[in-house]
Amino acid sequence: METLNATSLAEKALEQGKGILRLAPTWVPRSFCVPGRRIKLHPDDYYVLGGKRGGIDERWLSSTTPAKNGPLTGENEGLSQIVFNDGGKEVQFLLRDAVAELKGELIGERLWNEYQSWPMYSKFFDNMGPLPHHVHHNDEHAAKIGQLGKPEAYYFPPQLNNHGGDFPYTFFGLTPGTTKEQVLECLKNFTKGDNKITNISQAYRLEPGTGWDVPPGLLHAPGSLCTYEPQKASDVFAMYQSLVNEAIIDEDLLWNGTPPEERGNFDQLVEVLDWDLNLDPNMMQNRFMRPKPVRPVAEMEAEGYLETWICYKNEAFSAKELTVLPGQTVTIRDSAAYGLIMMQGRGTMGVWEIETPALIRYGQLTNDEFFVSENAAREGVTITNASQTDPIVMLKHFGPGNPDLVL
């Protein structure tokens, strides 16, 4: 749909949803990944985009950030679409266009005035094996290629982790005592098979229902649990490990994120690393996250719900898990706009029916993903759990500077 037509629908869609927008599923392939098959996509559709594109192992949520997937990247790949009922006909247009038109009316004046965009997104990352040890650049280094830096965080939803995949452990950072010369040697050996960079790192076992904070500049090799991953609105990265699960990583991914004139400069790759973060002897204490209740648990349960902070260590975003108990109706207020994805249960949310699909075809619309405007969040979102036995569980992702995040 043309932008002019799309943006003219934004106000109507916001009014139709009473401040809540319905979003279509956004599927993203990765050529260097093998799908873990836990994100509810139909088994016939994981390779629906063709072998050259690789398998679909990500679903992007509340995204106004295009995926950086090389020359074969599809039009609007990675960008969330709003679903609008226009006279009985369902039409779709970009969340990015709605933000550009509605500005503070949608995301709040605070965020619009500072960013002129929705400055984060989340995703499900679902790989059968581990990813290579890699790094996301900070703002300073990302600016050299015209991008933003990328902090991110992980949460491992129990509902999507019926199995742990091939390697449910994540390497973080470098072993204390590691020298820059050791890292340089690994990087220079990138094209010689296994450069063995994880020999100078350490892995941590992943536990469903918990998470990790991953600032820019920190090396990490994500393990094979299905991961909910809030992050800053960027897709910048560089792979520093050359062999993973017996698969060779293309050298181009080592230099991804490096300015063309610096390609071949291994010192530049080391400079991207935040040395103090990578050698932190208290990695577990400083980066691991267990859920934290937003209020006293007994008070919330008496009102029919339970809400916890699940990502709370980075200023660039935050996330909550909301559980509405069976048969209950609750009104939940937040001070900021947010996107949400249903993990379990069914019922209503404002004017919308909400439900958690068991299986989704590529291109199929669902009632499991929404975007809540700041005004609607402040007024309160009323949720009714239609089941007498099954809780509603949803994950909510917020932009920078969430006023409610006080721990």
Side-chain angles (χ1 to χ4, degrees):
M1 180 171 291
E2 296 180 2
T3 299
L4 287 175
N5 290 335
T7 55
S8 68
L9 294 174
E11 190 70 49
K12 293 180 181 178
L14 194 64
E15 181 179 352
Q16 185 179 87
K18 305 300 182 187
I20 302 175
L21 300 172
R22 178 188 175 201
L23 302 181
T26 302
W27 307 105
V28 175
R30 294 295 195 188
S31 61
F32 49 83
C33 295
V34 176
R37 299 176 180 267
R38 291 163 295 193
I39 50 176
K40 303 180 182 178
L41 190 60
H42 190 283
D44 291 345
D45 292 349
Y46 280 101
Y47 292 90
V48 71
L49 298 175
K52 286 187 177 180
R53 296 303 319 280
I56 293 172
D57 70 342
E58 295 184 1
R59 178 178 174 181
W60 289 24
L61 309 168
S62 303
S63 172
T64 60
T65 303
K68 304 291 185 183
N69 263 340
L72 297 179
T73 304
E75 183 182 7
N76 296 331
E77 192 161 292
L79 296 174
S80 292
Q81 301 265 0
I82 295 168
V83 182
F84 171 61
N85 191 319
D86 187 13
K89 177 184 176 183
E90 287 184 326
V91 296
Q92 297 182 43
F93 60 99
L94 294 176
L95 175 62
R96 183 176 64 182
D97 291 341
V99 172
E101 181 193 354
L102 298 175
K103 303 179 174 63
E105 185 181 356
L106 181 55
I107 66 171
E109 295 297 336
R110 176 181 62 86
L111 288 182
W112 177 257
N113 290 340
E114 185 167 353
Y115 299 97
Q116 285 80 55
S117 65
W118 175 241
M120 68 85 65
Y121 67 107
S122 193
K123 68 167 69 166
F124 290 133
F125 161 72
D126 174 41
N127 202 40
M128 184 64 74
L131 273 189
H133 218 26
H134 68 277
V135 67
H136 300 292
H137 304 61
N138 63 19
D139 283 335
E140 177 187 353
H141 288 290
K144 296 176 181 178
I145 59 166
Q147 291 203 49
L148 297 171
K150 183 180 172 180
E152 61 188 24
Y154 304 152
Y155 177 70
F156 310 115
Q159 295 88 349
L160 298 184
N161 281 294
N162 59 309
H163 69 85
D166 292 343
F167 191 79
Y169 304 82
T170 289
F171 287 91
F172 286 106
L174 299 164
T175 305
T178 298
T179 66
K180 292 183 179 181
E181 287 72 24
Q182 288 175 286
V183 176
L184 274 170
E185 181 181 4
C186 291
L187 297 177
K188 291 176 180 178
N189 288 333
F190 194 90
T191 58
K192 299 177 183 178
D194 185 359
N195 69 346
K196 301 181 180 178
I197 194 168
T198 52
N199 285 8
I200 53 176
S201 182
Q202 47 198 359
Y204 299 80
R205 185 181 179 187
L206 305 180
E207 179 185 353
T210 70
W212 288 79
D213 175 55
V214 187
L218 177 65
L219 280 166
H220 54 291
S224 55
L225 285 192
C226 187
T227 304
Y228 169 74
E229 193 176 346
Q231 56 207 267
K232 192 171 176 177
S234 172
D235 197 23
V236 64
F237 66 90
M239 299 295 187
Y240 282 27
Q241 184 180 357
S242 59
L243 182 74
V244 183
N245 263 16
E246 301 306 316
I248 291 289
I249 306 302
D250 193 297
E251 186 187 7
D252 283 342
L253 294 176
L254 172 66
W255 300 107
N256 190 54
T258 301
E261 66 274 12
E262 293 286 355
R263 188 181 174 105
N265 182 357
F266 292 96
D267 290 324
Q268 172 66 27
L269 297 178
V270 175
E271 188 179 320
V272 167
L273 302 179
D274 184 316
W275 205 246
D276 290 338
L277 273 177
N278 281 282
L279 270 64
D280 183 2
N282 299 311
M283 188 73 72
M284 182 85 175
Q285 177 183 341
N286 291 330
R287 304 271 71 87
F288 181 69
M289 293 184 292
R290 287 196 182 277
K292 295 188 175 184
V294 303
R295 293 173 52 203
V297 171
E299 290 182 14
M300 290 188 285
E301 290 181 337
E303 295 176 18
Y305 74 100
L306 176 65
E307 191 167 43
T308 61
W309 291 107
I310 55 174
C311 297
Y312 47 78
K313 289 192 172 186
N314 199 295
E315 176 65 17
F317 52 77
S318 57
K320 293 179 179 180
E321 180 182 72
L322 172 64
T323 300
V324 179
L325 301 177
Q328 298 295 309
T329 295
V330 300
T331 298
I332 304 296
R333 291 177 175 82
D334 289 281
S335 298
Y338 58 91
L340 70 87
I341 181 70
M342 291 284 294
M343 301 306 301
Q344 187 174 343
R346 60 183 177 85
T348 59
M349 180 177 65
V351 301
W352 296 104
E353 289 188 9
I354 54 175
E355 58 191 6
T356 311
L359 198 63
I360 309 169
R361 295 304 306 245
Y362 184 85
Q364 177 186 340
L365 297 178
T366 58
N367 287 321
D368 67 340
E369 185 182 354
F370 297 86
F371 191 92
V372 179
S373 68
E374 182 177 290
N375 287 338
R378 287 181 174 276
E379 290 174 6
V381 175
T382 298
I383 302 166
T384 297
N385 188 337
S387 173
Q388 296 302 309
T389 58
D390 198 25
I392 283 175
V393 181
M394 64 177 67
L395 305 181
K396 301 159 60 174
H397 26 278
F398 299 83
N402 188 339
D404 296 329
L405 182 55
V406 180
L407 297 174

